[in-house]
């Protein structure tokens, strides 16, 4: 209901408001359409948005369209906007989102819609060494395969990076890298090195 109210309160939301208030379409279908129309409201101008509202309101009130067909039409509308090259980047940025849905006691689903640049960052995390299998050994020294599935390893990798960022909010989270500090003897009279470089200590950064 919140999404319906949000959509019909827009200057272009009249057609959906009419359908919702007159019972021209079931509220769950109006809500489905409203979610999509609210998401794209900032991606297009008012005139184009009003046209989309009219089309989708008509679709919601069409008894020949099943709920599945209506959902597919909503998805196709977003895909069509993303496939418009001059506006693709803007549209993707406006459609970025994280949604949350409780699946049951103890389990919550998060869905992320990420523009390409952000998706590349997430891909880098879930395909990094943090997500690689981590076999162990038992008390006899025998190898024990990592029992986690690929999806579980990707989740653990993402959570590791998030926890690192939360523990050090002043710096971007990253995988720790080893560094070696070399000391080079220097002759101030000659103004040049006077010996062979050697490692002084190791550090982590």
């Amino acid at each position: 209901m919140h999404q319906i109210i949000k959509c019909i309160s827009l200057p272009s939301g009249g057609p959906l408001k009419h359908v919702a208030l007159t019972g021209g379409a079931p509220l769950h279908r109006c809500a489905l359409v409203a979610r999509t129309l609210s998401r794209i409201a900032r991606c297009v101008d008012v005139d184009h948005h009003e046209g989309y509202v009219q089309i989708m309101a008509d679709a919601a009130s069409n008894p020949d369209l099943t709920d599945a067909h209506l959902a597919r039409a909503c998805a196709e509308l977003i895909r069509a906007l993303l496939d418009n090259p001059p506006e693709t980047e803007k549209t993707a940025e406006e459609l970025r989102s994280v949604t949350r849905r409780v699946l049951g006691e103890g389990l919550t689903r998060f869905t992320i819609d990420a523009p390409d640049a952000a998706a590349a960052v997430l891909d880098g995390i879930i395909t990094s060494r943090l997500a690689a299998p981590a076999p162990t050994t038992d008390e006899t020294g025998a190898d024990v395969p990592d029992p986690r599935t690929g999806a579980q390893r990707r989740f653990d990798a993402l959570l590791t990076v998030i926890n690192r960022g939360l523990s050090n909010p002043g710096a971007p989270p990253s995988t720790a890298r080893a560094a070696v500090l070399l000391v080079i003897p220097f002759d101030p009279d000659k103004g040049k090195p006077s010996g062979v470089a050697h490692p002084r200590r190791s550090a982590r950064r």
Side-chain angles (χ1 to χ4, degrees):
M1 180 63 71
H2 170 72
Q3 289 292 344
I4 297 177
I5 294 173
K6 180 179 178 181
C7 184
I8 64 178
S9 65
L10 295 171
S12 54
L16 184 63
K17 178 180 180 180
H18 175 75
V19 169
L21 294 181
T22 61
L27 284 181
H28 75 278
R29 287 167 68 91
C30 292
L32 172 62
V33 168
R35 282 196 295 272
T36 300
L37 295 172
S38 296
R39 291 190 69 192
I40 68 171
R42 295 175 59 181
C43 303
V44 296
D45 59 41
V46 174
D47 290 339
H48 280 93
H49 191 260
E50 186 172 8
Y52 291 134
V53 173
Q54 183 65 66
I55 292 171
M56 298 309 296
D58 290 343
S61 58
N62 185 348
D64 293 332
L65 288 179
T66 67
D67 290 353
H69 289 147
L70 184 62
R72 191 174 303 123
C74 290
E76 286 297 328
L77 174 57
I78 291 178
R79 188 174 295 111
L81 291 176
L82 289 171
D83 288 342
N84 184 17
E87 299 294 331
T88 296
E89 186 174 346
K90 174 188 174 184
T91 301
E93 187 67 19
E94 291 292 349
L95 293 178
R96 71 191 189 281
S97 69
V98 176
T99 55
R100 177 181 184 275
R101 181 163 68 93
V102 176
L103 297 180
E105 187 67 28
L107 188 64
T108 302
R109 172 173 292 167
F110 290 89
T111 302
I112 302 174
D113 290 343
D116 284 346
V121 174
L122 294 173
D123 282 336
I125 294 172
I126 64 176
T127 59
S128 70
R129 287 180 298 174
L130 292 172
T136 58
T137 56
D138 61 18
E139 61 277 3
T140 66
D143 291 335
V144 178
D146 191 331
R148 300 174 298 169
T149 65
Q152 289 171 336
R153 296 198 307 271
R154 291 190 290 272
F155 173 87
D156 292 345
L158 182 59
L159 196 62
T160 295
V161 173
I162 292 173
N163 285 333
R164 287 179 180 176
L166 291 175
S167 65
N168 188 14
S174 63
T175 302
R177 293 173 292 176
V180 177
L181 178 65
L182 296 178
V183 177
I184 303 175
F186 185 79
D187 187 333
D189 295 330
K190 296 180 179 180
K192 62 181 181 180
S194 61
V196 178
H198 61 275
R200 179 177 179 181
R201 65 182 177 84
S202 61
R204 298 186 71 85
R205 64 181 180 184

